[in-house]
Amino acid sequence: MPKIKLDGKILEVEAGKTILQVAAENGKEIPHYCYHPKLSIAGNCRMCLVEVQGMPKLQTACSTPIGNAPPHRKIDEEFDMVISTKTEEVVESQKSIMEFLLLNHPLDCPVCDQAGECKLQDYSYDYGRGFRRAIEDKTPKPKKDLGPNISLYTQRCILCSRCVRFCDEIVGEHELAIANRGHKDEIVTYPGKPLKNRLSGNVADICPVGALVTKDFLFSARVWNLKHTKSVCTGCSAGCNIEVAHLDDKVKRFKPRENEEVNEVWICDDGRFGYHAIQEVERVKKPRKIDANGNQVDTNLRDAISEIVEKVSQVKKVWRAKSIGFLGSAHASNEENFLLNKFANKIIGSHNVGLRAPEITEDEVEFKAGFKIYGDKTPNRKGASQILKAENAYQVYNKIKHGEIKVLFVLGGIPEGGFLPEEEELFKKLDLLVVIDYQDSDLTKSAHYALGGKNYFEKQGTFTNVQGRVQRFSQAVSSQGSFLSDIEILQELMTAFDSHWKEMMPSEILIQIAKEVKEYKGMSLFKIGDLGMLQPQEVLETV
Amino acid sequence: MDIATQNLIFSVLKVALVIKVLLLGVTMVILAERRFSAFMQDRLGPNRTFYGGLGQSFADGIKLILKEDVIPTHVDKLTYMIAPIVMMTPALMTGAVIPFGPTIPIAGISLPFIGENLTPLVLQVADINVGLLYFVAIASIGVYGIVMGGWAQNNKYSLLGALRASAQMVSYELPMGLALVTVVLMSGSLSMNEIVAHQQETFWYVLNFPAFMIFLITIFAETNRLPFDLAECEQELVAGYHTEYSSMKFGMFLLAEYGNIITSSALVVTLFFGGWDIPFVDESALGLFGVILSMSVFGLKTSIFIFIFIWVRWSLPRFRYDQLMNVSWKGILPLSILTVVGTAVIMVLLKNFYH
Amino acid sequence: MATKKVSINVKSVKNDLYLVEVFRGLMLTLKHFMKIGAHAAYQAPLERRAGKISTNKRATIQYPEEKWVPYEKYRGLHRLNKDEQDRTKCVACEMCSTACPADCISIEAERSPWADEYPNDPKKEKHPKKYEIDILRCIFCGFCEEACPCEAIELTEIYDFSAYSRENAIYDKEKLEIVYELTKDGKYYQEGRSLDLEF
């Protein structure tokens, strides 16, 4: 192993690693723009120049690997490399590079959405000269539309080429390129081919300055005001890890969160902009019921539950427990599905439990670097089916069709709510339909009792993704809909049927799941952590 | 109508007059204090309410009466309620012995409703022969109001204020008593009327200047005015003994303070400035006009002293507590003893000289 | 700096007697009393009308009739400046709300209606959809003015503003621009203007 000296610190590191990586591992920051750990090395921003003893010129830290020196070339007879990052020459070079980068960069930080998380801003403070020497005007370059989601403020661009490499290497679509020469350099798309791949939002994330921005987030908040909550994307069964950025109880954007096992550092546009579909739907703000005249009217939870209990016990007296059905949801968390299962099996004594989930209609898409968008658009089909011990809802549907099930409890949460195919006709046969769903849809409108609920920014729980990785999501904003979460409403119902039921927190429910469902053995919110926990493989194989 | 009924009717009228004058006077003094203090500080003071601010005190009075009367939960209720009354009553009662005009010789003259007068009308509510003693006795009751108020509020600031007030009273009543002794030495009587009459015959007792100064200083202390207002000094004790009083109860403390100022000023005038006496003029020769003139002169003299009260308050800083005690016990008390002895010696010499 | 030593002879007879200093104090207040009192006494009925006693004699300002004209750097009510085209200068950068220690400014940005006229100037592209200052919270420190990169928000000389409800004490863009119109020449009090807003 080569022995090196980095700013006086003696290290033994693996050969082949770059200086930048070694420095980062040892807590030493070397400024850089074009280098990105997931992309190929370009070495064009020149910000990471460091002094390597024996080399005639400064070297780029991002592209210079650590290597072994032959014995007679060793420095001080022991070091393979001696690297300094803070010499006068390096500092002066950094100042010059900053000056070059800022030569045409407009001073519009007040209106730039990147301000606050901008590398150019940060490095300008840390390494820049602090004033402008050029007296010439800056080259004007207009703002451009690159595609349906992305705008380019051409003048802010420092031409690090991260976005170009992203489209080449991660997406494989080659949509972006750098055109022209000298100070007229700019990022362009090919004529007639806008940037519209399904990962295009990521170019705004990797852009170190405010040049590439998503049209969705543009002007909607200043980043230093945002609060971030760790969560999981519900767009598909991949369960990409995200950070929900929110302000004043409104979700403003999603940012991918690094998880090497799931999404590396990317998310797809469907997930990135998918929060609108969840946030901007009509909500069931108060429990509602259909009264004697067939109109839907507001009620309160206590009345609604006591009426449900009365009706259910009437039905149960005549038709027995088997006449009561339950449908869990692939969009509901493990905890909610577990409670519904408990409700069915333990409290009502019915085994008519199904899993309500939309059909998988899309194919899986895999990109060049291996990032996948799954066809299954539910976040928790795997977890729900493990807990409910049901793959689909056909069994329940059949019993409704034959009139065996008179009462149905339904968990909702499916985006763009409403009935799944066949359901509208089927559910008309029911004597009592109770829906726990945050959205105001056809389903909740036709339900005898719509009890409300929270969307997944407003509650906490766990999802199990397609790999069998159990991941947790936390409450980001306070509820804009009903006051109680789905879990609390379910437990209110359960307590009304059985006063011995002990109400539990989501974390306690997960511990209960861990005790009762073998795939979840030994899990708790703490053990799952930010990056999730894979279900034990041997169990999965036997299932 | 017999003499007793006549006396009763006149007494009731005189009591009504004195109380009326005192209460109206209080409102005027409060206004005067506010405006004069403003002038001394280059301000204008309240000048909006009714003709140059004349209605200000009435407006404040209406406000105080209409305000919610808060009684804190932790107070001793009975004492708390009584204290303002105990404060207020002596302030009005001391006015009883102050002669505010010459005796009107109406004996034998017939008046409507009353019939033939049997006695001359003395312009003084109660012409008692121990008027001076009565004044001292009643004036010192005022401190009970302060102590009761301070105690009742169950509040350390108020209690401290009350304690200070009582200690101050004890310290300053002694020299005040001695100053009064000089007056008695000179007049040979405790009756207020006779003191005035004696001054009319001989000289104003202000010529005994040390006695006058001592009395003036102690009367400042008696009325708890600056520079002796340690009982309620805002900077240390919030508002002292009336910190937790509100509404008209607070108003009564205010009335008592200014009532005391008026009676004290009147007393100073009576004892040292010849009361209603106009120097070098024989009032009795002018008849009814002389009576009115004398009463006006009495009012004028009193007003001057009220002004001095206000003037001193807005000019001098407050004494520190130890200074207060030093001034009393080491300064004024020996001085007043000397004054008494000196006066006695001079009086004896004068008598020997005359006889 | 050298310390100046002051000796106070506490134990002198003069100090013990107090009388000299007491007399001097009394005369001083009497002098002031005569100066103002003489005027006030005979002008008492006229005092309601302002300006009868010249201001170098009195400290009181008879408020509704007379108004104090603040000094140049006085920090009063805010205003939102406009540019030559009568458009708001503010670019909704939220520097002011970030700098605000009382957290009384709330801003929501949007694309400005005139953005298309300036394809090369991002600064013209953004403007505030909502700009609200909660005057009840504001401590008039002037940090917002200092933080503003485009001289859009400024504190004016207006000190006599009030409201009968909390809602009316929130100054939105419209109100702040009315304030700008009233104060842009800096002669709000000299010209005797008044805020004609809904209170």
Side-chain angles (χ1 to χ4, degrees):
Chain A
M1 287 234 286
K3 196 174 180 186
I4 66 161
K5 203 173 176 182
L6 181 67
D7 280 350
K9 200 175 171 188
I10 298 159
L11 302 165
E12 284 202 38
V13 293
E14 239 176 86
K17 277 192 173 175
T18 62
I19 297 174
L20 195 93
Q21 281 169 328
V22 169
E25 280 162 17
N26 290 285
K28 196 166 280 294
E29 193 203 12
I30 295 174
H32 59 271
Y33 291 113
C34 66
Y35 170 79
H36 190 278
K38 295 285 166 195
L39 301 174
S40 66
I41 290 162
N44 62 4
C45 74
R46 316 307 288 174
M47 194 62 202
C48 62
L49 290 177
V50 292
E51 194 178 297
V52 179
Q53 202 172 319
M55 299 278 195
K57 283 183 177 180
L58 298 180
Q59 298 295 309
T60 50
C62 65
S63 62
T64 308
I66 308 285
N68 282 308
H72 66 280
R73 299 288 297 272
K74 283 203 195 288
I75 297 159
D76 295 344
E77 293 173 356
E78 53 173 334
F79 298 117
D80 296 292
M81 278 175 111
V82 175
I83 302 151
S84 328
T85 65
K86 294 261 163 23
T87 63
E88 209 173 297
E89 206 183 346
V90 172
V91 170
E92 190 50 45
S93 133
Q94 283 165 345
K95 277 186 186 171
S96 309
I97 296 295
M98 280 311 299
E99 197 167 18
F100 277 130
L101 292 175
L102 291 169
L103 205 53
N104 278 318
H105 191 89
L107 198 61
D108 60 355
C109 300
V111 291
C112 177
D113 274 338
Q114 190 84 0
E117 52 182 13
C118 175
K119 279 287 176 63
L120 199 66
Q121 220 176 23
D122 296 349
Y123 291 163
S124 188
Y125 275 114
D126 293 347
Y127 306 102
R129 204 181 287 280
F131 57 92
R132 180 180 172 85
R133 292 192 293 177
I135 51 167
E136 292 83 6
D137 288 342
K138 294 172 181 180
T139 315
K141 292 175 190 169
K143 180 188 174 188
K144 285 195 297 196
D145 248 13
L146 291 190
N149 295 325
I150 300 293
S151 286
L152 172 67
Y153 282 91
T154 320
Q155 201 172 5
R156 290 180 193 155
C157 179
I158 58 166
L159 295 159
C160 67
S161 80
R162 275 184 183 186
C163 50
V164 178
R165 280 174 283 147
F166 173 80
C167 289
D168 291 350
E169 294 158 17
I170 307 294
V171 187
E173 296 272 342
H174 312 285
E175 284 162 314
L176 295 178
I178 297 175
N180 298 337
R181 302 189 66 174
H183 68 98
K184 288 177 182 165
D185 261 3
E186 56 182 287
I187 303 285
V188 292
T189 51
Y190 294 100
K193 275 187 77 182
L195 176 69
K196 57 176 186 183
N197 65 58
R198 290 174 75 181
L199 299 182
S200 65
N202 290 305
V203 298
D205 287 344
I206 58 172
C207 184
V209 295
L212 287 163
V213 291
T214 59
K215 289 177 186 172
D216 182 58
F217 181 66
L218 191 66
F219 301 154
S220 73
R222 306 312 319 263
V223 290
W224 59 83
N225 291 331
L226 294 173
K227 292 183 177 65
H228 295 271
T229 306
K230 285 170 181 163
S231 191
V232 175
C233 178
T234 57
C236 72
S237 53
C240 295
N241 293 16
I242 52 165
E243 252 174 9
V244 177
H246 50 98
L247 179 65
D248 297 340
D249 283 340
K250 272 220 160 78
V251 176
K252 295 285 185 185
R253 67 172 175 186
F254 281 175
K255 276 254 176 189
R257 182 156 59 89
E258 189 175 346
N259 189 344
E260 284 302 313
E261 307 298 323
V262 184
N263 58 324
E264 299 185 11
V265 293
W266 319 114
I267 54 170
C268 67
D269 289 358
D270 307 11
R272 185 187 294 270
F273 306 124
Y275 69 89
H276 291 294
I278 298 164
Q279 184 165 257
E280 283 146 31
V281 293
E282 282 289 307
R283 298 289 294 266
V284 180
K285 294 203 170 172
K286 269 185 152 184
R288 295 193 307 219
K289 66 169 183 181
I290 291 177
D291 64 3
N293 303 327
N295 300 321
Q296 201 165 33
V297 290
D298 280 355
T299 175
N300 63 57
L301 193 65
R302 187 180 300 176
D303 290 352
I305 285 178
S306 61
E307 284 166 35
I308 291 169
V309 171
E310 201 181 309
K311 286 184 182 173
V312 168
S313 35
Q314 279 171 11
V315 171
K316 211 172 149 186
K317 222 175 262 171
V318 183
W319 300 98
R320 301 289 154 213
K322 64 178 168 28
S323 67
I324 298 162
F326 297 86
L327 283 180
S329 169
H331 275 272
S333 68
N334 290 330
E335 287 76 7
E336 287 155 15
N337 283 318
F338 178 76
L339 278 181
L340 187 82
N341 202 25
K342 274 269 170 230
F343 187 24
N345 294 337
K346 287 273 148 53
I347 291 176
I348 303 290
S350 158
H351 294 283
N352 295 320
V353 182
L355 170 60
R356 188 166 168 269
E359 291 291 316
I360 301 171
T361 51
E362 260 182 69
D363 290 336
E364 194 177 299
V365 181
E366 186 166 355
F367 293 92
K368 188 177 177 187
F371 185 84
K372 276 185 197 165
I373 300 176
Y374 289 88
D376 179 5
K377 292 297 175 195
T378 62
N380 198 26
R381 191 186 293 264
K382 185 156 195 156
S385 60
Q386 283 166 347
I387 285 166
L388 297 172
K389 310 220 165 26
E391 291 290 328
N392 50 46
Y394 292 132
Q395 197 195 352
V396 177
Y397 286 168
N398 272 332
K399 286 189 178 171
I400 298 172
K401 201 183 278 174
H402 296 117
E404 286 169 39
I405 288 178
K406 307 281 182 195
V407 176
L408 188 65
F409 289 88
V410 177
L411 278 186
I414 298 173
E416 286 148 30
F419 293 110
L420 296 179
E422 306 172 39
E423 277 183 352
E424 189 163 5
E425 285 304 309
L426 269 179
F427 285 179
K428 277 181 187 158
K429 294 189 174 183
L430 293 167
D431 290 353
L432 181 65
L433 174 61
V434 180
V435 176
I436 299 174
D437 191 355
Y438 67 90
Q439 322 170 64
D440 191 7
S441 62
D442 303 348
L443 179 64
T444 42
K445 281 200 175 76
S446 67
H448 298 102
Y449 289 93
L451 300 182
K454 289 184 179 179
N455 68 29
Y456 94 104
F457 305 132
E458 298 165 355
K459 61 189 180 188
Q460 76 175 110
T462 57
F463 288 139
T464 308
N465 80 350
V466 72
Q467 307 165 330
R469 179 177 290 273
V470 183
Q471 304 188 103
R472 67 181 188 191
F473 58 94
S474 311
Q475 181 183 353
V477 300
S478 55
S479 177
Q480 308 297 307
S482 63
F483 181 67
L484 293 180
S485 71
D486 308 32
I487 284 178
E488 286 155 342
I489 292 170
L490 262 173
Q491 299 203 64
E492 289 285 320
L493 259 174
M494 291 159 82
T495 319
F497 278 99
D498 178 3
S499 57
H500 297 299
W501 178 259
K502 207 168 132 276
E503 293 201 15
M504 294 190 285
M505 306 275 289
S507 53
E508 294 171 307
I509 299 170
L510 183 65
I511 290 168
Q512 205 60 35
I513 296 174
K515 280 182 191 158
E516 295 183 19
V517 185
K518 62 182 179 214
E519 288 93 337
Y520 294 83
K521 203 172 175 190
M523 284 189 186
S524 70
L525 278 187
F526 179 74
K527 278 188 190 162
I528 287 173
D530 290 338
L531 298 181
M533 187 172 174
L534 208 57
Q535 289 175 348
Q537 284 304 313
E538 65 273 24
V539 176
L540 283 180
E541 276 154 21
T542 56
V543 166
Chain B
M1 220 179 261
D2 63 351
I3 194 159
T5 325
Q6 272 189 10
N7 275 350
L8 187 68
I9 290 169
F10 280 121
S11 291
V12 168
L13 286 174
K14 282 186 285 189
V15 167
L17 181 73
V18 167
I19 290 184
K20 197 92 193 162
V21 166
L22 269 176
L23 289 180
L24 268 176
V26 162
T27 60
M28 288 301 112
V29 174
I30 292 176
L31 177 66
E33 167 130 47
R34 292 183 61 183
R35 293 225 67 184
F36 291 177
S37 65
F39 297 154
M40 287 173 192
Q41 297 169 346
D42 287 355
R43 294 183 287 116
L44 293 182
N47 63 352
R48 299 259 166 178
T49 328
F50 185 65
Y51 207 73
L54 282 178
Q56 188 66 39
S57 294
F58 295 99
D60 285 347
I62 291 167
K63 185 203 79 171
L64 280 175
I65 288 168
L66 294 182
K67 261 180 112 164
E68 187 192 352
D69 188 5
V70 181
I71 300 179
T73 48
H74 53 74
V75 299
D76 184 328
K77 285 224 172 57
L78 185 67
T79 330
Y80 182 83
M81 306 284 255
I82 289 173
I85 303 170
V86 175
M87 253 321 253
M88 183 77 191
T89 320
L92 296 177
M93 275 169 76
T94 43
V97 290
I98 305 221
F100 49 89
T103 307
I104 308 172
I106 50 168
I109 297 170
S110 190
L111 284 177
F113 305 116
I114 294 165
E116 193 184 339
N117 277 288
L118 302 172
T119 49
L121 180 60
V122 184
L123 287 181
Q124 183 186 20
V125 175
D127 182 18
I128 47 176
N129 54 9
V130 286
L132 211 52
L133 274 186
Y134 169 88
F135 179 86
V136 176
I138 297 297
S140 10
I141 288 176
V143 78
Y144 283 96
I146 295 181
V147 173
M148 283 166 85
W151 175 262
Q153 287 167 54
N154 202 356
N155 166 337
K156 49 175 105 61
Y157 293 125
S158 308
L159 186 62
L160 273 174
L163 288 177
R164 284 180 177 191
S166 52
Q168 184 180 320
M169 288 282 180
V170 170
S171 313
Y172 279 82
E173 257 171 21
L174 222 56
M176 185 176 84
L178 290 171
L180 291 178
V181 166
T182 58
V183 172
V184 177
L185 277 175
M186 289 186 280
S187 68
S189 168
L190 287 166
S191 159
M192 293 287 202
N193 244 339
E194 284 186 22
I195 291 171
V196 174
H198 192 259
Q199 289 185 68
Q200 218 170 359
E201 286 164 21
T202 55
F203 53 89
W204 287 5
Y205 295 162
V206 71
L207 288 181
N208 188 349
F209 195 70
F212 163 67
M213 280 311 291
I214 288 164
F215 186 74
L216 192 66
I217 291 169
T218 51
I219 211 85
F220 275 126
E222 279 290 298
T223 49
N224 276 316
R225 294 278 296 182
L226 261 161
F228 300 107
D229 73 334
L230 278 90
E232 51 175 306
C233 58
E234 286 93 352
Q235 293 87 337
E236 296 163 31
L237 301 179
V238 194
Y241 58 88
H242 55 64
T243 303
E244 298 194 32
Y245 279 97
S246 61
S247 177
M248 203 52 210
K249 288 206 187 70
F250 169 76
M252 280 168 87
F253 279 111
L254 208 67
L255 285 181
E257 186 187 337
Y258 286 92
N260 272 331
I261 291 172
I262 296 175
T263 49
S264 302
S265 305
L267 191 73
V268 174
V269 170
T270 311
L271 295 184
F272 291 97
F273 285 83
W276 40 265
D277 175 37
I278 312 168
F280 316 118
V281 176
D282 186 10
E283 299 90 357
S284 53
L286 294 169
L288 197 61
F289 176 70
V291 172
I292 294 167
L293 197 66
S294 301
M295 283 169 77
S296 314
V297 167
F298 178 75
L300 185 71
K301 288 180 189 170
T302 311
S303 306
I304 290 172
F305 275 93
I306 291 169
F307 175 73
I308 290 174
F309 266 92
I310 295 168
W311 181 21
V312 167
R313 174 171 177 190
W314 294 96
S315 303
L316 301 185
R318 183 184 301 123
F319 279 108
R320 211 168 53 215
Y321 190 70
D322 62 320
Q323 291 170 337
L324 179 91
M325 285 296 155
N326 280 344
V327 166
S328 168
W329 294 104
K330 295 183 186 166
I332 297 177
L333 185 63
L335 253 175
S336 55
I337 292 170
L338 272 178
T339 315
V340 171
V341 172
T343 311
V345 169
I346 290 169
M347 288 311 290
V348 168
L349 287 177
L350 276 178
K351 273 197 179 140
N352 288 342
F353 180 73
Y354 277 124
H355 294 289
Chain C
M1 236 171 72
T3 317
K4 191 182 167 192
K5 281 188 182 167
V6 182
S7 64
I8 301 169
N9 191 356
V10 186
K11 272 283 137 199
S12 80
V13 179
K14 192 181 129 195
N15 280 356
D16 273 2
L17 268 178
Y18 301 110
L19 290 177
V20 180
E21 292 302 315
V22 164
F23 187 73
R24 274 181 54 186
L26 286 171
M27 282 304 121
L28 181 73
T29 45
L30 190 66
K31 203 176 94 193
H32 283 260
F33 175 80
M34 302 302 267
K35 195 172 79 179
I36 290 285
H39 286 265
Y42 89 96
Q43 284 183 338
L46 299 173
E47 262 178 24
R48 275 165 174 276
R49 266 174 272 149
K52 288 291 171 188
I53 305 168
S54 74
T55 35
N56 53 18
K57 284 210 176 93
R58 64 186 153 91
T60 309
I61 291 171
Q62 300 275 50
Y63 167 66
E65 295 90 10
E66 288 178 281
K67 280 180 183 174
W68 171 62
V69 179
Y71 45 91
E72 211 177 307
K73 290 179 179 176
Y74 184 82
R75 300 193 300 261
L77 188 62
H78 313 66
R79 74 181 191 199
L80 261 188
N81 290 344
K82 292 179 182 176
D83 61 8
E84 306 80 51
Q85 283 115 323
D86 220 27
R87 294 164 180 165
T88 177
K89 274 187 176 180
C90 177
V91 296
C93 66
E94 298 190 28
M95 291 293 149
C96 46
S97 60
T98 305
C100 182
D103 203 9
C104 70
I105 308 178
S106 61
I107 301 170
E108 269 173 32
E110 69 174 4
R111 194 180 143 85
S112 58
W114 51 84
D116 293 330
E117 297 171 33
Y118 307 92
N120 289 332
D121 193 355
K123 279 184 195 168
K124 303 269 185 190
E125 198 186 341
K126 200 176 168 190
H127 87 142
K129 177 167 69 181
K130 182 187 109 179
Y131 193 107
E132 284 180 359
I133 299 180
D134 188 347
I135 294 293
L136 294 177
R137 269 189 168 195
C138 179
I139 60 168
F140 301 97
C141 61
F143 281 12
C144 48
E145 187 177 1
E146 217 148 296
C148 186
C150 39
E151 291 169 2
I153 187 164
E154 254 174 28
L155 300 187
T156 63
E157 67 268 36
I158 302 178
Y159 53 81
D160 50 343
F161 51 91
S162 55
Y164 284 112
S165 68
R166 285 171 187 276
E167 290 75 33
N168 287 337
I170 293 173
Y171 277 65
D172 57 10
K173 211 166 81 175
E174 220 167 87
K175 279 189 186 178
L176 293 169
E177 281 174 356
I178 291 173
V179 177
Y180 167 73
E181 294 298 338
L182 287 170
T183 57
K184 58 183 169 186
D185 56 358
K187 287 185 182 161
Y188 181 80
Y189 287 110
Q190 287 90 331
E191 303 271 312
R193 292 173 193 148
S194 62
L195 266 179
D196 195 18
L197 299 176
E198 189 192 318
F199 297 120

